Amino acid sequence: MAAAPDLTPQRILDAVGQLYPTRGYRGTSVSEIAKIVGITPAALYYHFPSKAEIFAAFLEESIRSFVADMEAQRSGESPPDDLYAVVHAHVLSQLKVIDRLSPLSTTTAMTQLVAELPLALEQRVRKVERGYLELLQAIIIQGNAEGTFDVDQVIPTVFALINLSEYVITWFRPDGLMSPEDVAHHHAGLALRMVGATKPPLRRKR
C-alpha cells in the first residue's frame, strides 16, 4: 500500500496565506507559521530551507493560480471578447479581495513582495509572473493580426493594461457609488478603447 503523501508543505503555504494578508512579509514570523501548521520551527525547515523560500513558494503558487484563472476567461471567440473577459476578471479579483481581507492580498502587493526576496528567488518568481504578461501579449497580437485592435507598441500596452486593472485598489471604496461589477465593466471597456477596439462587448450577465 502506497504511503500517504506528505501534505505539510501545502499546509505551510496555506498558513502563509492566513498570515500574510494582514502582516506582510516582515511581520510574518516562521514561528507563527509553524504554530498554525502544528509543527516546530525546526520541523518547518525540513520542508523549506528559509523564510524566503517559503514565501517564494507561496508566491509561485498564488501567481500560477491567478494566471490559470485569467487564462480560463478566454473563450476564443474574438480578441475583444477575450480582452474584455480577462480585464473584467482581473479587476474583480482585486476588488473582491480588498473588500474581504486586505490590500496586502492583492496581486499588486504580491508583486511588490517579490522584490523583497533574494535575487535568485525573485528571478524564479518573475518567470511565473511572465505567464500573465504573455497571455495579454498573445491576445493583443492576435487582435492586431485580425484587425480588431490597433496597437503600435504591444509590451508597453500590456503593462498599461495590468496597471489599469491592479490600481483600482487605490481609490475603490466598498460603500462608494460603483459596485465591483460596475468598476470591472468600466475598466474592461477602457481596456478595449486603449487597444483601439471599435465595438466593446456588452456587459455580460453573471
Side-chain angles (χ1 to χ4, degrees):
M1 183 175 179
D6 186 356
L7 301 179
T8 305
Q10 185 58 54
R11 289 168 57 209
I12 292 171
L13 300 185
D14 291 344
V16 171
Q18 294 179 44
L19 294 169
Y20 170 67
T22 56
R23 304 193 184 191
Y25 177 71
R26 298 184 186 281
T28 301
S29 69
V30 169
S31 60
E32 288 173 314
I33 297 171
K35 182 177 180 180
I36 289 177
V37 178
I39 60 177
T40 66
L44 185 148
Y45 285 123
Y46 171 79
H47 299 280
F48 294 96
S50 67
K51 175 181 170 179
E53 285 278 0
I54 297 171
F55 270 81
F58 168 74
L59 285 167
E60 287 177 304
E61 180 180 74
S62 300
I63 294 169
R64 282 197 183 97
S65 177
F66 170 77
V67 173
D69 287 345
M70 296 304 104
E71 288 177 339
Q73 304 304 315
R74 294 183 70 179
S75 66
E77 294 179 9
S78 72
D81 281 309
D82 286 346
L83 185 62
Y84 177 96
V86 170
V87 172
H88 185 280
H90 188 169
V91 172
L92 276 185
S93 75
Q94 297 290 93
L95 298 185
K96 287 181 177 179
V97 168
I98 194 174
D99 189 28
R100 186 174 71 251
L101 294 173
S102 158
L104 288 172
S105 302
T106 62
T107 54
T108 303
M110 288 197 292
T111 298
Q112 293 169 347
L113 169 60
V114 177
E116 296 191 57
L117 298 175
L119 181 59
L121 294 178
E122 177 184 350
Q123 291 173 337
R124 196 176 84 190
V125 177
R126 296 290 184 200
K127 288 182 181 180
V128 181
E129 282 187 322
R130 281 200 288 274
Y132 187 45
L133 304 179
E134 291 167 357
L135 168 63
L136 291 173
Q137 183 178 357
I139 294 172
I140 293 175
I141 289 173
Q142 182 185 354
N144 273 347
E146 295 180 3
T148 53
F149 294 163
D150 182 14
V151 178
D152 292 330
Q153 298 293 333
V154 174
I155 298 302
T157 302
V158 166
F159 282 108
L161 289 168
I162 292 173
N163 287 337
L164 174 76
S165 301
E166 293 194 343
Y167 285 94
V168 291
I169 63 169
T170 63
W171 60 267
F172 176 77
R173 297 294 179 269
D175 58 351
L177 295 177
M178 298 179 75
S179 69
E181 171 61 33
D182 292 334
V183 177
H185 175 68
H186 175 71
H187 278 57
L190 288 176
L192 288 169
R193 287 190 283 277
M194 283 174 60
V195 299
T198 57
K199 189 177 180 182
L202 298 174
R203 183 192 296 260
R204 295 183 174 183
K205 295 181 180 180
R206 290 183 176 268

